[in-house]
Amino acid sequence: MRTWPPGISLIRRRNPTMTARSTRCTTAAKTRTSRLAAVAAIAVAGSMLMTACGDQTEGGSAEGTSSSQKPASTAPLFSKLPADIQKSGVIKVGTDASYAPMEFTEGGKIVGVDPDIAQALSKQLGVKLEFVSGTFDGLITSIYSGRQNLIMSSMTDNKKRQEGLDDNGKKIGKGIDFVDYFSSGVSLLVKKGNPQGINSLDDLCGKTVAVQRGTIYEDTFKAQATKCGDKKLTIQAFDTDAEAQTRVKAGGAVADLNDYPVAAYIAKTSGGGNDFEVVGSQSDVGLFGIGVSKDKPQLRDAVKEALDAIIKDGSYAEVLKKWDVEDSAVTSATVNAGK
């Protein structure tokens, strides 16, 4: 049933005395006018309806877009990040989570010094630092391939890694840059009671040691093996340091070599403190660096600024205190300062 606009019935009520002809003419004219008005009204109503629907659709779409596309972060250094990371809201971090207290797995979650530092950095950068665990000797390759954006895995910054060289000095990759964030020397870890009387690297000649593959500690043992000469030092390399520790604990090797904070933590916690002990003095003090592709200087510089910021605001010191590694603090962020 058609419903006419209110104006038509009102006009008819206001003209009761008109003649038939004038009424017809007037009514026809009025009717034409009213029909035009009705059409216009319907058109306007339709337009308004379409506009309203359009607004709802646009509004819904815009609202949906705003919920799916995160608003720009207000974090201090968000704008310093590369555009692709700003858009994704995530920095992918490669690690080997088998190196307590620096990075290890607890309750299915990667925890430790490095993840806590990363959490502090994320507050400055305004994006999530998402850790993925893999084997240590594959971490630099993960940067080359783009699978990861950063490495945080107690990785020592040295010229070999900066320049992409293998143990023989052969060029095998571009190398990576480092933002240096932690200082540590290395120490020997032996079975509790030190049954072999190991107190220095020289005491290892003629014996077997265990170590994690691809680390500077393996390099240190190789250098010592050369020094030992005919009194052969046998090196057993494993994918993880946990495997090397197991070998020492079982008596298959006399020592493992680790960063001092790690060696001290293992001696304190493994078997309730009954499995291992740290012997000798620290040597080869060096810097741990956050690894980043040489093709990503913008990301490197943003991370450096973020590290300086958390050193300044005290959150960096809080992390080191939590894990009892304050002696390994750096006073400022540096890039490629390793030797």
Side-chain angles (χ1 to χ4, degrees):
M1 176 179 179
R2 178 182 290 180
T3 302
W4 293 95
I8 294 176
S9 58
L10 182 61
I11 292 171
R12 286 174 179 167
R13 284 196 297 271
R14 285 182 178 178
N15 295 282
T17 59
M18 286 185 178
T19 63
R21 187 165 184 263
S22 66
T23 300
R24 283 195 299 271
C25 292
T26 303
T27 301
K30 295 287 186 180
T31 300
R32 284 193 297 270
T33 302
S34 298
R35 284 175 178 168
L36 290 172
V39 171
I42 291 168
V44 169
S47 175
M48 290 174 67
L49 182 60
M50 289 176 69
T51 303
C53 291
D55 286 346
Q56 287 181 334
T57 302
E58 293 288 335
S61 175
E63 194 173 333
T65 301
S66 64
S67 64
S68 62
Q69 294 181 358
K70 297 178 182 178
S73 171
T74 57
L77 298 174
F78 180 78
S79 63
K80 300 293 183 75
L81 290 168
D84 60 331
I85 289 177
Q86 290 185 28
K87 184 177 180 180
S88 69
V90 175
I91 294 175
K92 296 175 290 182
V93 183
T95 195
D96 172 12
S98 63
Y99 206 53
M102 297 304 295
E103 49 271 323
F104 60 105
T105 303
E106 186 174 80
K109 183 179 179 182
I110 298 175
V111 298
V113 177
D114 282 351
D116 282 358
I117 289 175
Q119 179 62 29
L121 293 174
S122 74
K123 293 178 181 178
Q124 295 293 324
L125 296 170
V127 295
K128 180 181 179 182
L129 273 71
E130 184 176 87
F131 278 71
V132 178
S133 186
T135 59
F136 187 84
D137 60 357
L139 292 177
I140 291 179
T141 302
S142 76
I143 293 291
Y144 290 161
S145 68
R147 290 197 312 276
Q148 311 299 344
N149 303 120
L150 298 177
I151 296 169
M152 289 189 73
S153 195
S154 309
M155 183 172 282
T156 300
D157 172 11
N158 58 33
K159 297 302 180 185
K160 184 176 76 173
R161 288 171 174 152
Q162 291 172 23
E163 296 171 9
L165 306 177
D166 67 10
D167 291 339
N168 299 314
K170 180 182 177 182
K171 187 80 170 174
I172 56 173
K174 291 181 180 179
I176 61 174
D177 285 336
F178 288 95
V179 177
D180 302 316
Y181 69 101
F182 195 89
S183 174
S184 177
V186 298
S187 295
L188 288 165
L189 185 72
V190 301
K191 195 171 181 178
K192 188 72 173 183
N194 193 10
Q196 298 293 323
I198 305 299
N199 290 296
S200 69
L201 289 171
D202 288 339
D203 294 334
L204 299 174
C205 295
K207 297 180 171 60
T208 298
V209 293
V211 70
Q212 184 177 15
R213 184 180 294 110
T215 61
I216 63 162
Y217 323 117
E218 184 182 18
D219 294 341
T220 298
F221 277 157
K222 286 179 178 178
Q224 182 62 34
T226 300
K227 185 178 178 182
C228 288
D230 293 337
K231 202 174 179 182
K232 185 179 179 183
L233 171 61
T234 301
I235 302 168
Q236 297 179 347
F238 298 89
D239 284 339
T240 69
D241 187 61
E243 292 173 287
Q245 293 169 35
T246 299
R247 191 65 174 160
V248 172
K249 182 179 176 181
V254 300
D256 181 14
L257 189 63
N258 271 307
D259 297 294
Y260 174 74
V262 175
Y265 182 86
I266 294 166
K268 180 180 179 180
T269 60
S270 181
N274 296 314
D275 290 341
F276 304 102
E277 64 182 83
V278 177
V279 296
S281 58
Q282 289 189 58
S283 61
D284 298 331
V285 176
L287 293 167
F288 291 173
I290 300 171
V292 59
S293 170
K294 287 188 177 292
D295 296 331
K296 303 289 184 182
Q298 186 178 356
L299 176 59
R300 178 200 64 205
D301 293 345
V303 170
K304 180 182 181 296
E305 281 195 57
L307 180 57
D308 274 327
I310 66 172
I311 290 172
K312 185 176 181 180
D313 71 17
S315 53
Y316 171 79
E318 288 176 9
V319 171
L320 301 193
K321 183 178 181 180
K322 172 184 173 180
W323 293 101
D324 195 24
V325 291
E326 295 112 307
D327 289 346
S328 292
V330 297
T331 57
S332 64
T334 53
V335 173
N336 295 337
K339 299 177 181 179

